[in-house]
Amino acid sequence: MLVEKNVPLQPFNTFHIVAKAHALVRIASEQDLLAVLADPRLSALPKFVLGGGSNIVLTGDVKPLVLKVEIPGKRLLQDSGRHFIVEAGAGESWHDFVAWTLEQGYPGLENMAMIPGTVGASPVQNVGAYGVELQDRFDSLDAMDLQSGEIFTLNAAQCAFGYRDSVFKHASRSDGHQALGLKDRVLILRVRFALPKVWKPVLGYADIEKKMAADGVSSPDAQQIFDWICAIRRAKLPDPAVIGNAGSFFKNPTVSPEQCADIILRDPKVVHYLLADGSVKLAAGWLIDSCGWRGKSVGQAGVYEKQALVLVNRGSGSDGLGATGGEVMTLARAIQTSVYERFGLMLEPEPVVL
Ligand code: EPU
């Protein structure tokens, strides 16, 4: 096992923020992780599990031991019953995995094309886009307990998925009740997806309907939807390889119908969607945009011109003189304050701030 010291993390976070890991170990297999846990010096250290680095803001060097997940593998596990059960190693690129499932003839993930990051990080966030969330296609996952080295399997209910949320984002309770959170306690090794054999397209999003009308296609196949989603995302979201970013920086807030009515009084144009449970989801991008933030900057951290929900690193490049995590967070807090002052709502950041 190789413990790398003072490792530059700029290539390993999609914001391209300059920071170092004091120590980093690459985890390409269960054995690699067991070796870390068997080492008395390393096992005692606090640990940080790094996937594709597409949902983190680094505000300084990372002191916990960084476990960089590189576990490979993609395979069909089962094709009996109503689903194809497909498994991928946690270190696989999410987008490449989605493309592979389509090539193999297992549709169902196409609406989530081009989401940056790894397969192992996808359940943590319960990633989602264009009407499909990971939990809609999830079967189970295997994870290793970072204390005991024990491997266990979780089903969807045990993952407690919510909107951009799961059991992996919450700390365990220290009040003697049954531990509910797995934050910082496990490393996800493999994820299995249940992809329906009788496939139905998930359409209905305005951006997809526009593509259907423009291309004159009324019953698209999964590959067509995949191609449209790639084109839609390329048109409105910055490519992290070119402009550093971590996708949507804030969650879309959910409010009661009364709160929504109050916000409509403040601005009748507010973009909102009624949810099945009677609550209302507001478009955070619109709230930020209407406070005038689109295109603005703090230092080298900026609000993306085409989508105000995305914060970007304007200086990301080979010179290493990009935004600091501090600049990103100063900008994020200024946005939170102005949205709060205008609409009475505190936006909740999506990425993990380190
Ligand atoms: N809008 C504005 N101004 C802006 C940005 C958005 O007025 O600057 C308006 C849009 O016109 C639209 C509405 O806000 O009416 C919603 O915008 P969009 O369709 O771009 O979706 P979103 O709610 O901002 C969410 C997800 C994205 C996902 C898209 C499509 C969250 C936090 N974000 O964005 O996910 O790709 O829907 O399903 O739920 C991510 O999580 O990183 C992510 C990119």
Side-chain angles (χ1 to χ4, degrees):
M1 172 188 41
L2 178 66
V3 182
E4 300 171 52
K5 296 281 169 66
N6 290 318
V7 182
L9 291 176
Q10 192 182 14
F12 301 148
N13 76 98
T14 60
F15 248 122
H16 307 311
I17 289 170
V18 175
K20 282 189 174 136
H22 287 199
L24 178 147
V25 178
R26 293 168 193 264
I27 306 295
S29 67
E30 286 164 35
Q31 288 68 34
D32 288 345
L33 186 51
L34 287 171
V36 170
L37 303 185
D39 180 311
R41 208 170 29 91
L42 297 179
S43 68
L45 294 175
K47 297 174 191 68
F48 175 71
V49 178
L50 177 66
S54 60
N55 205 42
I56 56 172
V57 183
L58 299 173
T59 58
D61 289 345
V62 179
K63 294 188 188 78
L65 174 66
V66 174
L67 302 174
K68 185 169 183 302
V69 183
E70 298 184 348
I71 299 169
K74 302 190 273 281
R75 61 180 177 146
L76 175 68
L77 213 59
Q78 190 187 313
D79 79 349
S80 56
R82 290 190 296 132
H83 295 96
F84 295 111
I85 306 293
V86 178
E87 182 182 82
E92 292 287 339
S93 140
W94 171 263
H95 176 75
D96 293 351
F97 171 62
V98 172
W100 177 85
T101 57
L102 292 179
E103 280 159 28
Q104 302 295 310
Y106 319 131
L109 299 176
E110 56 283 348
N111 291 50
M112 295 185 282
M114 275 189 85
I115 294 179
T118 54
V119 167
S122 64
V124 178
Q125 276 278 90
N126 185 22
V127 296
Y130 301 99
V132 181
E133 284 185 318
L134 176 117
Q135 65 175 336
D136 303 324
R137 302 285 182 258
F138 181 83
D139 175 69
S140 57
L141 60 79
D142 298 335
M144 190 182 287
D145 184 308
L146 291 175
Q147 287 290 324
S148 66
E150 188 195 339
I151 294 177
F152 57 94
T153 299
L154 296 182
N155 63 24
Q158 290 164 321
C159 290
F161 292 123
Y163 167 59
R164 296 293 189 278
D165 197 26
S166 74
V167 72
F168 307 104
K169 286 184 98 172
H170 296 273
S172 52
R173 290 168 56 164
S174 53
D175 56 6
H177 285 82
Q178 200 186 353
L180 292 170
L182 293 177
K183 186 174 190 285
D184 300 329
R185 287 181 49 191
V186 300
L187 185 146
I188 294 169
L189 301 165
R190 295 172 281 277
V191 187
R192 286 174 290 277
F193 299 86
L195 305 177
K197 286 191 176 171
V198 180
W199 174 84
K200 283 201 215 89
V202 178
L203 307 170
Y205 262 61
D207 285 336
I208 300 183
E209 307 234 310
K210 276 188 219 150
K211 288 282 183 198
M212 291 171 72
D215 291 359
V217 176
S218 57
S219 37
D221 63 11
Q223 186 63 45
Q224 173 69 82
I225 295 174
F226 175 91
D227 293 342
W228 281 336
I229 300 286
C230 291
I232 292 165
R233 291 185 71 105
R234 276 198 199 100
K236 76 155 106 173
L237 296 171
D239 176 356
V242 182
I243 305 173
N245 74 91
S248 299
F249 199 90
F250 298 100
K251 294 184 186 182
N252 285 327
T254 303
V255 297
S256 66
E258 294 74 27
Q259 279 174 294
C260 185
D262 177 56
I263 290 168
I264 288 171
L265 281 179
R266 297 177 201 219
D267 194 326
K269 295 190 294 301
V270 60
V271 177
H272 59 286
Y273 319 91
L274 195 60
L275 301 182
D277 65 0
S279 61
V280 185
K281 187 175 267 192
L282 305 177
W286 184 90
L287 298 170
I288 298 166
D289 194 3
S290 73
C291 290
W293 280 103
R294 191 138 49 100
K296 295 274 165 54
S297 300
V298 166
Q300 298 276 44
V303 180
Y304 191 52
E305 282 71 8
K306 295 183 207 162
Q307 223 301 9
L309 194 51
V310 179
L311 304 191
V312 295
N313 182 353
R314 299 203 190 283
S316 55
S318 50
D319 56 7
L321 296 173
T324 63
E327 284 172 340
V328 172
M329 294 314 296
T330 302
L331 176 60
R333 280 190 281 269
I335 291 170
Q336 281 174 312
T337 304
S338 70
V339 169
Y340 186 76
E341 282 172 357
R342 190 167 142 102
F343 296 106
L345 276 174
M346 187 52 93
L347 293 179
E348 194 190 329
E350 248 205 68
V352 175
V353 180
L354 278 172

